[in-house]
Amino acid sequence: MTKAKTLYEKIWDAHVVDQRDDGTALIYIDRHLVHEVTSPQAFEGLRKAGRKVRRPDLTLAVPDHNLPTTPRIDANGNKIPIADPQSAAQLEALEANAPAFGIKYIGASDAEQGIVHVIGPEQGFTLPGTTLVCGDSHTAAHGALGALAFGIGTSEVEHVLATQTLQLSRSKSMEIRVEGLLGPGISPKDLILHIIGVIGTAGGTGHVIEYRGEVFEQMSIEGRLTVSNMSIEAGARAGLIAPDEKTFAYLKGRPMAPKGADWDAAVDYWKTLPTDDGAQFDKSVTINAADVAPTVTWGTSPEDVVPVTGHVPAPESFADPSKQDAARKSLDYMGLSAGQAMGDVAVENIFIGSCTNSRIEDLRAAAQVLDGHKKADGVKWAIVVPGSGLVKAQAEAEGLDKIFTASGFEWREPGCSACLGMNPDKVPPGERCASTSNRNFVGRQGPGARTHLMSPAMAAAAAVTGKLTDVRELIG
Amino acid sequence: MKPVRKVEGRAIPFGQKNVDTDVIISAEWLKTISRDGLGKGAFESVRAKEGNVFDDPEYAGASVLIAGDNFGCGSSREHAAWALDDMGIKAIIAPSFSDIFSSNAFKNGLLSIALPQEAIDRLMEVAKTDPITIDMESMSVTTPFQDRFTFEMDPFRQQCLMDGLDEIDLTMAKSDAIEAHENRVDSAQAWHKPVAA
């Protein structure tokens, strides 16, 4: 009998090109997503060394980080140039590099353009059992489909372009087992924020996390993408969820997914991937789903979470002295005081978007809360940034854009937007933002900006009341 | 890549835990299409404060940075490693590093050295007045006061750093094995290639 293996071990073993005695291996990369920010120096490196891209057919390029989310085509059908010369230069570099190296390119004003981690699954480029990389840490998202997917730096981008491989050491495996199901009004975002709060931002370092339990079996693919996306916020390079009938149904018929007899063969193979009974994980953590409340962050690290019904913690409440110090600095930056009720915290900005929460189900969840309401007077700026052009079109077909604009939101073009303050969408210094993104780091949404991470429904609830709000009170 | 066998010099006793990549270099600086010149953007939010350790003349020209647990967490931006390199840092010593950061540092010949917190505490103290030395051959960090801390690193990385090897060249020498893998997948899993849309 063969050894019982985890999903991670099965994918790893199927991609070893060359095993070294020291335990590291050359691993084949099946899919490579390229965007404008972390690729220019890699293409420049190839050019200097006279190298070509080994497998342009396994590579897909799309701009997302820098693009303004204001209209990209004017009334006469002409492209509107990017005002910021540096952002424009990065976009131009990708526009030139992709065709020069024979890579398929989705342009800034194409219907399919969007955030790399939204379009990979949407196009069927991401498949179970494959290895997928991108010069972006939220590549972990694609693990939702059972792909071993992780973020890489620019030197590794260059290495993959040139060789279609990476020299890696095997990670440890970590099981996060969730017992039970989520309560009404509790979303996958609340679950992953809660998990990060339990294991901490370094809890998964050196590990690949596999999320297991009935809650994930019942969760939609889009919900799974939200969970796996934030694996990196727990320090793990990758997250994984076993592919199942939901995965296959999601992928079937997508433009770049296999067709006909190839599809049947692929599904047969994918069914062999889930972790075998009796397989061992290096580490295992159990989470009780009943403990998960609508969750928000209070500090400047994604582990700084609290139920929205809770209070800002006192720095002294942490056992670790350096965490106490970090908490003091966080509260100072966030303008909060210990003991303050989270439900009393007023917000001036709302951002619904990012690779974590910009898919159609996210927009539906937010629109459901907003329907028939106006944003509160105190909310100065509220934007919805769909994850891709196709998500945007779908939302418009369902009339969601009308709900958002009627409640005072701006309806934008797809991109990374206010998640990371690289394009014009920024939160002003000292102001708060209820944000569906993934990082609440100091200055992440703009210098001095104060970020509270939460789910799309919770961000919509905050827009309605003008303060952090338990969404269950609005939809109850 | 230039070979790195020894790093000697003053160390900046920063000490902070969970230093994220946005702190090392904020997104505004990622718009460059070059690897150079990012040092002036490094630790911008920290340096905005009076009396910060980075602008203390005592540590001018330092080649080592000492930090707390989980250094470089957050994004995959290699700009963080480029920025540290551009500010003259050759090695970072911390109890632990994020996986992506330590890989990015390695690719740029920047040492990420993990030592236990007790060693970090001692080095933070020494750094205030004296230089420290990192030796890649003996895998040790030493001080003028006879302190000696040994560290671990995977042998492949150690060899690449000490010999300044280009990893892409090393991998390209294995192109037969890569091609064999591709042929195997092509014949056994025809569904594997993305359908050209």
Side-chain angles (χ1 to χ4, degrees):
Chain A
M1 209 184 109
T2 52
K3 177 184 170 282
K5 288 184 183 178
T6 63
L7 168 58
Y8 171 59
E9 288 173 307
K10 291 181 192 185
I11 302 177
W12 175 274
D13 290 348
H15 290 83
V16 175
V17 170
D18 183 56
Q19 180 72 51
R20 298 173 62 96
D21 294 339
D22 61 14
T24 61
L26 193 63
I27 293 294
Y28 197 80
I29 302 301
D30 299 320
R31 299 285 188 273
H32 188 188
L33 287 161
V34 174
H35 64 83
E36 80 280 20
V37 178
T38 56
S39 69
Q41 295 88 346
F43 285 114
E44 181 198 58
L46 289 184
R47 240 183 228 109
K48 274 189 183 162
R51 290 171 177 141
K52 59 187 182 57
V53 174
R54 183 179 177 90
R55 292 294 300 268
D57 59 324
L58 303 182
T59 313
L60 178 62
V62 64
D64 56 5
H65 283 62
N66 260 293
L67 298 184
T69 56
T70 44
R72 291 170 192 157
I73 303 276
D74 68 17
N76 301 320
N78 299 316
K79 286 184 186 174
I80 300 173
I82 299 182
D84 179 329
Q86 282 191 300
S87 293
Q90 273 195 338
L91 178 63
E92 280 164 22
L94 189 61
E95 279 174 345
N97 284 327
F101 287 91
I103 296 167
K104 181 177 163 68
Y105 178 67
I106 299 177
S109 43
D110 289 348
E112 298 86 7
Q113 184 272 337
I115 307 173
V116 280
H117 310 311
V118 174
I119 67 161
E122 189 173 80
Q123 292 296 318
F125 184 73
T126 310
L127 297 179
T130 57
T131 49
L132 181 151
V133 297
C134 172
D136 186 278
S137 60
H138 291 108
T139 308
H142 306 259
L145 295 154
L148 177 59
F150 49 90
I152 56 177
T154 299
S155 293
E156 289 176 310
V157 169
E158 186 178 338
H159 193 277
V160 175
L161 289 171
T163 70
Q164 206 59 36
T165 63
L166 280 174
Q167 185 76 41
L168 297 170
S169 33
R170 194 194 275 250
S171 300
K172 291 185 180 134
S173 59
M174 178 175 187
E175 171 188 43
I176 292 188
R177 171 165 288 283
V178 176
E179 302 284 3
L181 296 173
L182 299 174
I186 316 287
S187 73
K189 182 66 164 287
D190 298 307
L191 175 59
I192 188 62
L193 286 171
H194 177 85
I195 290 171
I196 296 163
V198 171
I199 71 171
T201 53
T205 303
H207 291 76
V208 166
I209 294 174
E210 183 177 338
Y211 299 95
R212 288 155 63 83
E214 195 190 344
V215 68
F216 300 111
E217 290 161 25
Q218 297 212 357
M219 197 178 278
S220 70
I221 298 301
E222 299 200 349
R224 295 178 190 179
L225 282 160
T226 299
V227 170
S228 198
N229 176 281
M230 289 190 73
S231 301
I232 183 69
E233 262 55 71
R237 227 176 163 178
L240 280 168
I241 295 173
D244 60 9
E245 293 299 332
K246 284 196 167 144
T247 319
F248 311 149
Y250 173 90
L251 283 170
K252 193 164 188 183
R254 302 234 169 223
M256 300 174 94
K259 309 279 186 296
D262 283 348
W263 171 262
D264 297 335
V267 171
D268 285 346
Y269 176 69
W270 296 339
K271 284 180 175 168
T272 69
L273 292 171
T275 294
D276 298 326
D277 288 340
Q280 297 293 312
F281 289 88
D282 295 305
K283 196 168 168 183
S284 190
V285 174
T286 302
I287 303 279
N288 190 347
D291 294 343
V292 183
T295 301
V296 295
T297 58
W298 54 265
T300 56
S301 165
E303 70 184 22
D304 297 339
V305 300
V306 66
V308 68
T309 50
H311 297 81
V312 176
E316 309 78 64
S317 67
F318 298 99
D320 175 0
S322 71
K323 180 71 195 175
Q324 293 181 4
D325 186 44
R328 264 179 223 111
K329 284 190 180 130
S330 283
L331 293 187
D332 180 46
Y333 179 82
M334 294 296 292
L336 296 171
S337 13
Q340 200 174 342
M342 291 310 293
D344 290 341
V345 176
V347 294
E348 300 87 14
N349 304 276
I350 312 285
F351 170 55
I352 296 176
S354 87
C355 61
T356 312
N357 282 123
S358 63
R359 298 175 182 83
I360 191 68
E361 289 175 16
D362 299 317
L363 304 192
R364 285 177 192 147
Q368 190 196 347
V369 174
L370 288 170
D371 198 4
H373 296 283
K374 292 253 184 263
K375 72 176 169 66
D377 291 342
V379 173
K380 298 192 282 189
W381 190 62
I383 62 170
V384 189
V385 185
S388 72
L390 298 184
V391 170
K392 182 170 186 252
Q394 175 67 29
E396 287 171 356
E398 295 178 20
L400 303 184
D401 58 321
K402 300 281 184 304
I403 297 176
F404 285 118
T405 49
S407 61
F409 274 75
E410 295 172 33
W411 180 244
R412 297 293 192 95
E413 298 297 317
C416 298
S417 184
C419 175
L420 86 164
M422 264 200 90
N423 74 0
D425 303 339
K426 290 189 184 67
V427 175
E431 290 191 12
R432 284 177 205 289
C433 183
S435 178
T436 67
S437 55
N438 40 54
R439 289 194 177 128
N440 51 344
F441 295 162
V442 167
R444 174 83 179 178
Q445 295 193 294
R450 295 164 168 169
T451 304
H452 294 278
L453 301 177
M454 63 195 73
S455 73
M458 288 282 289
V464 172
T465 64
K467 54 189 188 166
L468 303 185
T469 299
D470 186 343
V471 65
R472 294 172 298 188
E473 290 169 13
L474 293 185
I475 56 172
Chain B
M1 205 159 80
K2 269 188 285 181
V4 192
R5 291 174 171 267
K6 193 173 255 194
V7 173
E8 270 181 299
R10 290 299 296 270
I12 303 172
F14 185 37
Q16 202 169 302
K17 272 192 182 190
N18 294 315
V19 175
D20 62 61
T21 47
D22 290 61
V23 166
I24 302 171
I25 188 91
S26 73
E28 199 53 42
W29 291 86
L30 307 191
K31 295 182 182 180
T32 173
I33 53 172
S34 156
R35 286 173 154 96
D36 305 322
L38 290 166
K40 52 184 185 295
F43 298 100
E44 211 169 35
S45 63
V46 180
R47 298 175 78 165
K49 294 186 188 99
E50 288 277 326
N52 75 82
V53 73
F54 292 97
D55 292 317
D56 186 334
E58 180 71 24
Y59 307 114
S63 50
V64 180
L65 178 69
I66 307 175
D69 237 346
N70 200 23
F71 185 85
C73 61
S75 107
S76 65
R77 59 187 70 165
E78 196 160 319
H79 309 68
W82 298 334
L84 285 157
D85 180 61
D86 195 56
M87 66 187 273
I89 297 296
K90 307 267 179 267
I92 301 122
I93 306 178
S96 67
F97 295 86
S98 89
D99 296 334
I100 306 183
F101 177 82
S102 67
S103 171
N104 285 339
F106 160 64
K107 312 279 176 189
N108 290 276
L110 186 64
L111 307 180
S112 55
I113 308 237
L115 287 176
Q117 187 64 50
E118 302 78 52
I120 300 291
D121 293 343
R122 171 64 187 151
L123 292 171
M124 288 279 287
E125 203 49 46
V126 172
K128 288 178 188 158
T129 51
D130 287 270
I132 62 172
T133 302
I134 300 162
D135 182 62
M136 284 295 287
E137 182 80 52
S138 61
M139 307 265 270
S140 64
V141 180
T142 52
T143 73
F145 308 100
Q146 315 312 317
D147 300 286
R148 186 169 188 278
F149 306 103
T150 54
F151 57 88
E152 289 177 5
M153 185 177 288
D154 93 50
F156 175 73
R157 281 194 180 182
Q158 184 192 10
Q159 184 203 341
C160 286
L161 286 165
M162 290 183 62
D163 297 342
L165 298 176
D166 180 316
E167 220 192 332
I168 296 181
D169 279 342
L170 290 178
T171 302
M172 286 189 129
K174 294 190 173 150
S175 54
D176 286 353
I178 299 172
E179 204 172 318
H181 176 92
E182 287 174 335
N183 292 337
R184 211 161 46 235
V185 171
D186 282 351
S187 60
Q189 298 178 332
W191 54 267
H192 218 283
K193 273 191 200 177
V195 173

